[in-house]
Amino acid sequence: MRNQHQNGTNHQVRHYQALSPAQINRFGLVELGSSGPLYRFCVRLFGILALLGIVGFMMRVASSGFSDRAAWGYYVATVVFIFVTFQAAPTVAFAIRAAKGHWRRPVSRIAELFAVVGVLNLILLLPVLFLIPPITGGRKTFWFELHWLLPFSAPGFFLFFGMLALVVCGLCLLYLSALPDFAAARDAKGGIYTGLARGWVGSQRQWKMLKSGLNLLGAFYLMTFVLVTTLFAWDVSETLVPGWKDAIYPAFHSITGLQGAIASTILALGIARKFGGLKNHLHMEQFWGLSKPLLATSLLWFYMGWSTFLTYWYGRTLAEQHVLQLLMFGPYFTVFVMSFLLKFLIPLLFLIWNRVRMSIMGPVLIALSILTGDIFEMVRLYVGPFTITEVGHEMTHVPAAHLPDFADILIIAGAISGAIFIYLVSSKIIPRISLWDMKEGMLLTRVQSFHRAEVLVIGKPE
Amino acid sequence: MEITRRDFLKLMAGSAAGAVVFNGCNAPEREMLMQSPLLMPEDMVTGLDNYYASICRQCPAGCGIIVRVIEGKAKKIEGNPDYPVNQGKLCARGQAGTQVLYHPDRIRGPKRLVGARGSGQYEDITWEVATKELASRLTQFQGQASTVAIMTEPLTGHLATVVKKFASSYGAEHIVFDSLADTVERTVANRSFGQSTVPDLDIQNANYILSFGADFLGTWGSPVRYGKAYGEFRQGRTKRGTLVQVEPRFSTTAASADEWVPVSPGTEGILALSIAQVIISQGLGNSAAANTLTGGAGASRLNSFRPEDVSKLTGVSTDKIIEIAKAFATQKPSLAIAGSTAGAHSNGVFNTSAIYALNYLVGSVSSPGGLVFNPKAPLPELQVTATAAATFSDLERLAKRLLEGQPPVNLLMVHNVNPVHGLPSSLGIKTGLSKAGYIVSFSSFMDETTEMADLILPDHTYLESWGDDIPEPGVGYEIVGLQQPVVNPLYNTKAFPDALLAIAAQLGGKMRSDLPWGSYLDLIKQDAQKLFALNRGSVRAPGFDAFWVGVLQRGGWWDTNAKAPAGAAPQVPALPSSAVAPSFGGDQSAYPYNLIPFESISLSHGQGANVPWLQSMADPVTTMTWTTWVEVNPKTAEELKIVEGDVLIVESPNGAIRVPAYIHPAIPPKIVAIPMGQGHTAYGRYAAKRGQNVFSILSPVKDSETGALAWAATRVRLTKSDDKIKMPKIEGSVFAVEPPDVDIVGVTTG
Amino acid sequence: MQDRKVLTETQINSELLWFVFNKPTRFWVALTISGLLFLSGVTAFAIMVIFGLGVTGLTTIVPWAFMITNFVFWVGISHAGVMISAILRLTQAEWRRPVTRAAEVLTVFALATAAIFPLIHMGRTWRAYWVFPVDFARGIWPSVRSPLIWDPSAIFTYLTGSALFVYVALIPDLAIARDRTTGFSHKFYSALSLGWRGTPAQWRMQVLAGILLSGLILPVFVSVHSIVSWDFGMSLVPNWHATIFAPYFVIGAVHSGVSGVVTVMAGLRIFMKLENYITQDHFDALGRLLTVVATAWLYFFLLEIVYGFLTLETAETAVRELQILHYPYNIMFALIFINSYLIPVPLWLFKRVRRNIWLMFVTTIMVNVGMWLERFIIIVPGLLYRAPLTFVWGDYTPSVIEVTLVVASFGLVSFGFLLFSKVFPIIPIADQKEGQAIQEDIKIGRITVPAVIRE
Amino acid sequence: MAEATRWGMVVDLDRCTGCQACVAACYAENNLPLNTEEMVVEDRAHNWIRIERYWEGEYPDIKARFLPVLCQHCANAPCEPVCPVYATYHNSEGLNVQVYNRCVGTRYCINNCPYHARFFNWWETPLPDPMPHYLNPDVTVRSKGITEKCTFCVQRIRRATRNAANEGGRQVADNEIQPACAQACPTNTIIFGNLANPNSTVSKLAKNERHYRLLEELGTEPGVIYLKKVDPHAKSTPERH
Ligand SMILES: Nc1nc2c(c(=O)[nH]1)N[C@H]1C(S)=C(S)[C@@H](COP(=O)(O)OP(=O)(O)OC[C@H]3O[C@@H](n4cnc5c(=O)[nH]c(N)nc54)[C@H](O)[C@@H]3O)O[C@H]1N2
Ligand code: SF4
Ligand code: SF4
Ligand code: SF4
Ligand code: SF4
Ligand code: SF4
């Protein structure tokens, strides 16, 4: 065991904290079920806010019913916001695992835990299904004239089952990943963990299955996520706007999701480190590692948005002018500028500096900026389209901006709080750090001297 | 946000892309001014141009033209805005005159045959030798003058004078040849209206036009004149006129009509009488006229033409007949015209006279919006106008005579006509010509007939010659058009009338005294003196020279006040009480399709084929160029398992040609149509060995009364061959229909 | 990395320089064949210049076709170089070492070849210099608003960058060659190796330059194909005017480029007998990379196709219909999907396939056949059924000249590649040695796990 | 010019008979190459103005619709920004001008013209002697490798403006300039003039209730205004009015 070399010239080694497997277990299991005052305060606060959200929802139903689509724009934007941020986070777990980054091990679980938010969002999605106009309504739609084949409202159908698949997959992923830890908890505590860890003995076959299972489920989660984003993009915003003919939009939306996923993860890491007592597990390295894809996704977000913009501007057909008007320069101009600043300009201006990337505060603040930007972004992409009533190929007039009312604010705050509430509660049942992953990492790492320097030697078993 | 594409681009060019994102919405609407620093020809002064007025001779309509000439070269032909026939407008063929003038394959001087006839081996000779040669032949046959013939196109003005005088003075026969002779129309004009010339149509003021086969917007009559009037008929006045085209084929006119009524070929007259029956029985029309037309018998005379009885025969539903009859009788002024296919049947005169008679019923004879009759020529000297063409029967006799040599044709002079190309091959005219004694051609181009000549005395083109014209159809008042050379003759050619005068002079004696003028221009000027002396009309001047200049400048002389005398109404012949059924070449079972040949809008029936612009100009409806095609209905094509470009063998009892199919959605299933004009074996590089000649397979069916060729009365069968071509057409590779989501051709119902 | 070989430095030197210092017959045969192919293209071009572009199958309706397709194709192939080198270098992927140079060289020659095509497809190639600001005297400038001006800028930047990239990495190897040659060759390598002695300072500079170039060239790499895609995206041609083109082209380029690299690696391994360096591990790793890239490409491919229909506009749907239903485009469409995804990707999921050189060779060639057709089917059908004016829809058939030019382009790239590998070591010697130096093993219990040293 | 100028054209579809006189007139005025049969078959024919014919319905209720299409001299011309060398640009009189001797033949503008109004010289197309005599000296003869298109007969515009300038700097009168196609057109389908002058014939016609512009939804702002065909029997659907 080596201690930190605070003044070493070699950064990798500097933050390398070797713990013994027993230490890891002990630390990870002790917090399960127990809670501090801050935690309790947060749970109560977010719980109450979530309840207020339900009140807001009731108000919305009472004042607008389900037929006035425009009134529901903020509700839908909130659902998609939770989707592209919290619900997206488990994709990060898969991505870093697949990339075999050696710094990934303490990150995965914190990202995977977000899968539980999916349960809430699935419920929140239900009203949305009634708000999307059916394909028989004469609107331009991806589902063409398939209504003879699909006697139900096709968009809602696919969206719901896609979301269901995603949530189920996420929960399975979380469960599978936590299984060896449940076993450890079972051995240490028993209780519910006896049931949860049923059958896990840690045989080689089980490990092999666990690893490939995680890969498969992770890949499936990522693909389902992209698919559901695509469906959101198509059916819940794009086809509502006549003339919005943007092939890149689903991919752009998916990138928003991946950016949101990383941002959510970083924010969760930051909070966990600062207030959740994970100082010894989470180091600059983790934030540094995630800040690179965060920058990349920010760039990609701009790149794809620019592609659309440039193409529309050069094309300059009347339809394109109207769409640009609606989404960028017209009623939602401010919203667009905010999302542009928060999701691209600020991340770019700061993250290009290695100094910022190689810090903890930097990435966390940028992540916060991006998540805030995402709220604006979803308002731009969903509230606007929901105010449009005409169908056809071309928007003839651009509707005015639709502002949130009190109910909308309650809904936004409530839904987001609900998601945080669920996350907090779950983290008391499932270890926030993948104990087995950490232990494996310890086994594969050595510190050695090489010529005159001290270096890390990392085993690459595959 | 109003941003023009250029604004954006300027921003792109001038500032950082990021600036665009934020400023774009406020960018002012301003054009990006970008003048090219490069000098373009249109910016340079290229010299002085002269404009000469003359007459278009590309078709018999005789439009007035103005030719732009720079440094002695004719550059562009434009319509003469002053000239009453076409009022500044011009058709495609008129435009193409410069390509006739500067055609690379013109005959550049007199030639004498040195090889066998038809071998194409000629030697160049001088005009002196050439004139002598012809004169000596004429002298040789002076005793048997009737074995000498001159064959020309229908002539007007002083050219007719010269040729007629030449022929009569010598005693030769003057044969006027026209493949699509208007014999039937002339006969009807004469019989039904007592007119020696075909009447003009007041399309501009008509309210309802019922046209039977007359493709007056394409090739029939005076297309530019009618086109101009049609524009006004559509949108130049407060009430838009209605045009109904009754025709088995979908012609250009049918394409522009408000309604196209595909009628069974040859039953046009029956349909017209049925319309008359409805009008008379319902008491809609002019009752006096109805009385006269029925010989006092009233509707009962037309009992055999009740719509329900003729509907099946004509292929037009009873309701439609009644609807048309009512509209025709009520939406006055209305006008009924017959032409092209309507008269080109064995019952052509029956059809045409029945149709024209409809005008009596609605009072459209010699009244605004109806038929307009023309006055006689201003001078008796010009009365020789409107030389009636030889009928097909006459030509059959000629062919027989040539073939049998009994009585012999010792000398045949041909000007500007091409009987070898323009007659059904069953006549054997080509073989006949090879047996003629001696053939002289005055053609400017080596066409199929000129190829048979022993002596060629090439004429100028019309842009190099003097001439005059009394247009027919006329303009309703006296008019004489003047044709002048706009450039010096390019080659060693001689105007046809001057060549005749020179020969007459050489022959001396009576010929000399009958044709005393030193030149053709002298003759024209001599009679211009008389016009001058009338001291009325469009050009009046204190002296003849000023008058002459005035006439040259304006392109002719006319007097808008000198109209046809109102006169007594001509004797109106009674309508027939029974139908004259059409007969066809080839019986229905063996030859199931009616063949409708049609005149090409660009090549006419062959004259335009040597002009590349006209070859490459699209047929308006099919957009085909450069070749012959057969129009086949999609259903028929399906039955025959053919697609566009499949070469079909089109076979009549009198021959077969191989023509690629054009799948035409607007041709009736039992009818096929083939354009005329191609299938030349000679006639220059652009015409020769191209397409097929539909004349060659026509059956020698004749109009039973006049003996004119019933060129629409042939039946054919179709066989698919193994060949296939890619069609030279302007339209694209798919069936051109408007997409459902875009208005390409805006259409409104009112 | 399961089958790492332990090679001595001498062995590395002699094996990797063998091809440079020897003259095997197979080399000359290959060089002659590719040279002749290239010459056929020169002839075809000469014919175009002399007679006019009428000798092509292009029409007023389809004024861009084979040559532009081929341009996009080679730009696509050129993306592999930086993709492999820069990204793998930045992410410190160990297995990159023997792969980088071949990939970079492929980039350079593919890009140079690509750059030829827009030039020869011009009606007046002899006036091509007008797209550069040269006419100072008259104050006539090119129009920066045209994507055709963005193109040369991007391509020449990329070409310069990647040539530099190759060169910087080549310097230590040039010094090795210099030390083993005499006479003219010695002078040649001396001049090129810029006095390389291998001092720590020089090494630091070299590594730094490599990393800097990697970072700088990545945006260029993305921009190049984006700009190429904007040649189409900025137009109003149905099917071309699509927002998705930039990323779609880039991902397609990576797909075809990496496949191209695999093809070349397999070819090299067989042709130059480099089994010790280009190992099954490389194919395994590239195969996995390709699976991911191909799937991303498929996503964009599907989005692009679906969006044509989503509009329900005649102009767009007609093009999709043409692409998907009508001969011969339906065949091509099927081939794109089958060749570039349906067959290779499921195969690549199997380790056995990924580690089979011949199968990788064949599948990656299939991918590129598909990718060539993909470019064709993007470019041509959109023009054929260009606008709502159905009256002017047309057909296209390439002429012999165009086919020759396409074939010749392959000749040119192989010619360049062969010539390069004759003059320079195609596997980076110094890099290879560094890789040898930092590989390690660690023992965990009873098993030994391969490991690398992280600096 | 003192007066603001935007040259434009009105094409009244209710007058057009598809007669092609305009096509031939344009051939003659603008030195178009001979469209040989091969050029037509290969879709390489040059027709600066062409008469498109659309079918509507099925036999016997079938209609042919004629539509003369020429360069629309778009105010927002998609052909202009794509040209790398400014060989096609917009001038202050609203013309989309083609500078032949600057064109390098990329054919990008041809791709990007939604009206198919541009043509490329695939070959050198010399005329046989003595045909060159009829060539219009005011118009460049284009060589191979160059793109060309309808110019609104700019040489006639230039001539008229020059004449007006020479005659004491007067304004060009309304209808003084006639492009060759308009001049020939028998039915007066085509009317040319200054759209910026509200009193000109074109301006007045352009306000006719039947007016529309071709593919207007593309935002190209064509300078050619069409007047709808009148067909009392048209199957009127809500979209088509
Ligand atoms: N159609 C055609 N155009 C051509 C040419 C051609 O061959 N054919 N040639 C071209 C060539 S090579 C040239 S150089 C130009 C020539 O073109 P210009 O320079 O226009 O030559 P000119 O028309 O000969 O003379 C110009 C004017 O100068 C006047 N002038 C003569 N002497 C004097 C003098 O002493 N003082 C003053 N102030 N004025 C005087 C004349 O009266 C005339 O009005 O034309 C070019 N344009
Ligand atoms: S209608 Fe006849 S005379 Fe008139 S311009 Fe046409 S070809 Fe010439
Ligand atoms: S019609 Fe075509 S060529 Fe003419 S300005 Fe518009 S885009 Fe350009
Ligand atoms: S073809 Fe000529 S005018 Fe058209 S874009 Fe290229 S250089 Fe410009
Ligand atoms: S305006 Fe002139 S250039 Fe344009 S189509 Fe008409 S005649 Fe041709
Ligand atoms: S000349 Fe006039 S009527 Fe004839 S096709 Fe042209 S535009 Fe139509």
Side-chain angles (χ1 to χ4, degrees), chain D residues 71-74 77-79 96 113-115 117-118 149:
Chain D
C71 171
Q72 309 283 307
H73 292 268
C74 312
C79 60
N96 168 255
C113 169
Y115 304 94
R118 301 181 145 262
K149 59 155 204 97

Side-chain angles (χ1 to χ4, degrees), chain B residues 45-48 71:
Chain B
V45 185
T46 44
L48 274 183
E71 301 190 350

Side-chain angles (χ1 to χ4, degrees), chain B residues 56-63 65 89-94 222-224:
Chain B
C56 175
R57 290 299 196 186
Q58 292 277 75
C59 92
C63 296
I65 55 175
K89 298 307 182 179
L90 211 60
C91 80
R93 294 172 60 201
S222 192
V224 177

Side-chain angles (χ1 to χ4, degrees), chain B residues 225-259:
Chain B
R225 174 169 181 73
Y226 298 154
K228 168 102 182 153
Y230 171 82
E232 301 309 302
F233 165 82
R234 282 309 194 199
Q235 289 296 337
R237 47 187 225 205
T238 37
K239 189 173 186 311
R240 182 178 182 274
T242 303
L243 168 61
V244 175
Q245 182 78 358
V246 181
E247 194 182 0
R249 183 184 77 89
F250 193 77
S251 66
T252 312
T253 309
S256 287
D258 297 290
E259 195 169 348

Side-chain angles (χ1 to χ4, degrees), chain A residues 10-30:
Chain A
N10 200 309
H11 51 251
Q12 250 87 9
V13 180
R14 182 174 54 172
H15 288 281
Y16 175 69
Q17 166 102 34
L19 303 165
S20 75
Q23 275 175 312
I24 292 171
N25 258 6
R26 227 182 4 263
F27 184 84
L29 297 177
V30 79

Side-chain angles (χ1 to χ4, degrees), chain D residues 162-178:
Chain D
R162 209 156 44 217
N163 287 346
N166 289 344
E167 288 160 23
R170 64 169 175 87
Q171 295 289 327
V172 175
D174 188 27
N175 297 330
E176 184 175 342
I177 302 170
Q178 270 195 310

